[in-house]
Amino acid sequence: MTEQARRAQIVAAAIATVAELDYAETSFKAIAARAGLSSTGLISYHFRNKQELVDVVFANILERFQGFVSARMGQGSAREELRAFLSANIAFLREHRDDMVAFLRIRAHSAVTDGGIADSDHVELAGFLRRGQEAGEFRVFDPEVMAVFVLAMRNGVVLRSGALDLDVCERELIAAVELMTGR
């Protein structure tokens, strides 16, 4: 197996392990077992420590998530853009539940969050909420605060997604956000 393939195998196993066990319970031993590796030394060869692995996992998920969501944006009006953003978030969750759960569970532990990289959702959402207000599509509210509320609802769906119907979640999330932002 090539080094790149082995690193990808370890990252995938780390994502699944964090999604199942949570951050604190995730160890090189648990990751090695999930990946079918004979030794934790194979992980240590590719990653100096748990922090480096967490940072790589976080950046990997963030990059794939941002690409997925961005590809579904550009819908037109701010209201349409908001719907597209929320739908894309739920669509990514449908296809990559472990990634989203792991992302939220390791977010506070990742050094990648330095410099605001992890807050890109908030920045983007607050930006098009502001543009929607300027265009007269949304009522007056604080876009920064509203972005916090919207993302908190999204994150709640992610963390409970194993027990929820995601079609219903998508419909209700969009409806709730439209009621919160509408004129």
Side-chain angles (χ1 to χ4, degrees):
M1 182 175 278
T2 68
E3 280 195 36
Q4 186 176 3
R6 178 67 76 196
R7 281 178 66 90
Q9 176 190 21
I10 294 166
V11 166
I15 289 168
T17 304
V18 170
E20 180 185 343
L21 301 178
D22 205 355
Y23 173 80
E25 302 300 318
T26 297
S27 64
F28 277 12
K29 183 177 178 181
I31 295 166
R34 181 171 301 273
L37 302 175
S38 60
S39 156
T40 59
L42 290 169
I43 299 172
S44 298
Y45 175 78
H46 293 281
F47 302 96
R48 285 187 308 270
N49 52 38
K50 185 177 177 180
Q51 184 64 56
E52 182 183 7
L53 178 56
V54 164
D55 292 344
V56 169
V57 165
F58 187 85
N60 174 284
I61 296 169
L62 183 62
E63 180 181 347
R64 289 185 293 113
F65 173 74
Q66 287 176 328
F68 187 95
V69 172
S70 293
R72 286 152 180 79
M73 302 295 290
Q75 303 298 315
S77 72
R79 184 164 304 286
E80 291 166 331
E81 202 64 2
L82 183 56
R83 280 188 207 118
F85 174 81
L86 296 169
S87 290
N89 275 256
I90 300 300
F92 188 84
L93 176 59
R94 268 190 199 94
E95 295 178 28
H96 308 281
R97 182 180 183 279
D98 281 358
D99 291 353
M100 289 296 287
V101 171
F103 182 84
L104 291 180
R105 288 181 172 173
I106 65 174
R107 182 180 189 152
H109 305 283
S110 175
V112 175
T113 60
D114 294 345
I117 295 169
D119 292 328
S120 58
D121 264 2
H122 180 267
V123 170
E124 181 179 346
L125 180 56
F128 63 77
L129 289 171
R130 194 172 290 104
R131 288 189 299 278
Q133 287 177 320
E134 291 165 0
E137 294 182 55
F138 299 138
R139 68 177 180 79
V140 175
F141 53 79
D142 184 315
E144 299 293 326
V145 172
M146 186 63 72
V148 169
F149 294 155
V150 172
L151 293 174
M153 287 191 298
R154 188 265 327 258
N155 294 347
V157 169
V158 169
L159 293 175
R160 299 272 307 159
S161 60
L164 300 173
D165 179 330
L166 292 180
D167 291 334
V168 173
C169 286
E170 180 178 2
R171 186 175 58 248
E172 294 300 333
L173 180 60
I174 290 170
V177 171
E178 286 181 345
L179 286 170
M180 291 175 6
T181 59
R183 290 196 76 72

